[in-house]
Amino acid sequence: MPDSWRLALGTLTVLRVPPPRAVTPVVAGRAMLLAPLAVLPLGLLVTVVGLLGARLTLPPLAVALVAVGALAAGSRALHWDGLSDVADGLTASYDPARSLEVMRSGASGPAGVLASVVVLGVQVACLAPLLTSTRGALVAGLLVCASRAALAGCCLRGVPGARRDGLGAAYVGTVRLLPALGLWSVAALALLLAAGWPGLVALAVAAGVVAALVRRVVRRLGGVTGDVLGAAVELSLAAMLLGVLTGGPVG
């Protein structure tokens, strides 16, 4: 477990921790299950930014934008890079090999930029009303953590990988279904207690979005990649924020 904990912290946050002694499938799978806990510092960061913004009576949109920026900095913008690359790859060609090559290049094309702007806009617009109250800021921080449960869904056994190399190759197919169901149940309970029924709506919306993403990349690319994992995180957070507001007022 210490190796999995170090792997999750070192991969998903900017916190400096000793590297794991070995990255085996068991270690990688546990790291994906620990992802929501590993990003607790990032969730707390978003909550603190919201509370400070409300105390200083700053414009909610500005506070939300700072919160999203701080969250990106706290994760090295790794997930945003994945979102951009996936959007570019899926729109570049219908040939899987060509799409994967575009994703590997790392350069952001028009589709990647547009996808990032749209998802960023949704996150900021939906965070703004949450960060105007103490309860809303706490819920926002919890949603940041819960959104990382998407990683377990992308890494379930049976979900193929698109290639054998790359950052995501070590994680593909390492998560068993039963522990994943346990993780999602805990996330559902936490969201229900913190946000009421809107929290469950948020989780359902995010699950649908991530499932659609995985289905699409498996059909188009042959499986998931590290970029897909990053895209799933940002799309999951945007979907959760949108879903929690759609489900009703939070606080």
Side-chain angles (χ1 to χ4, degrees):
M1 188 62 69
D3 278 344
S4 298
W5 183 244
R6 289 196 291 266
L7 181 60
L9 279 173
T11 303
L12 301 175
T13 74
V14 295
L15 297 177
R16 300 186 65 177
V17 295
R21 291 165 295 182
V23 182
T24 65
V26 172
V27 169
R30 287 175 176 172
M32 295 296 92
L33 293 170
L34 287 169
L37 286 177
V39 298
L40 271 174
L42 302 184
L44 180 61
L45 176 62
V46 169
T47 296
V48 169
V49 169
L51 294 176
L52 287 175
R55 184 175 181 83
L56 298 173
T57 63
L58 298 174
L61 280 176
V63 175
L65 188 57
V66 170
V68 171
L71 182 58
S75 59
R76 304 186 191 90
L78 184 65
H79 310 312
W80 286 105
D81 179 67
L83 174 65
S84 177
D85 287 345
V86 169
D88 283 332
L90 291 178
T91 57
S93 171
Y94 285 106
D95 176 54
R98 171 59 181 159
S99 294
L100 289 171
E101 186 61 33
V102 169
M103 292 167 63
R104 189 194 297 270
S105 71
S108 293
V113 172
L114 181 60
S116 298
V117 170
V118 170
V119 175
L120 174 66
V122 172
Q123 290 185 3
V124 170
C126 294
L127 261 179
L130 288 177
L131 299 183
T132 58
S133 69
T134 300
R135 184 185 179 191
L138 291 172
V139 169
L142 178 60
L143 291 176
V144 168
C145 297
S147 66
R148 271 57 180 177
L151 294 170
C154 294
C155 297
L156 282 173
R157 292 183 179 178
V159 177
R163 53 185 176 222
R164 296 183 179 180
D165 59 346
L167 181 60
Y171 302 96
V172 174
T174 60
V175 177
R176 292 182 292 118
L177 180 59
L178 190 58
L181 290 175
L183 170 64
W184 298 330
S185 298
V186 171
L189 179 60
L191 289 171
L192 178 62
L193 293 175
W197 290 112
L200 295 185
V201 172
L203 189 62
V205 173
V209 169
V210 173
L213 172 67
V214 171
R215 182 174 182 271
R216 180 62 173 166
V217 298
V218 168
R219 292 183 63 182
R220 281 278 284 103
L221 306 176
V224 299
T225 67
D227 286 329
V228 174
L229 302 185
V233 167
E234 295 302 343
L235 289 172
S236 176
L237 179 56
M240 282 189 167
L241 289 167
L242 192 60
V244 81
L245 295 182
T246 303
V250 173

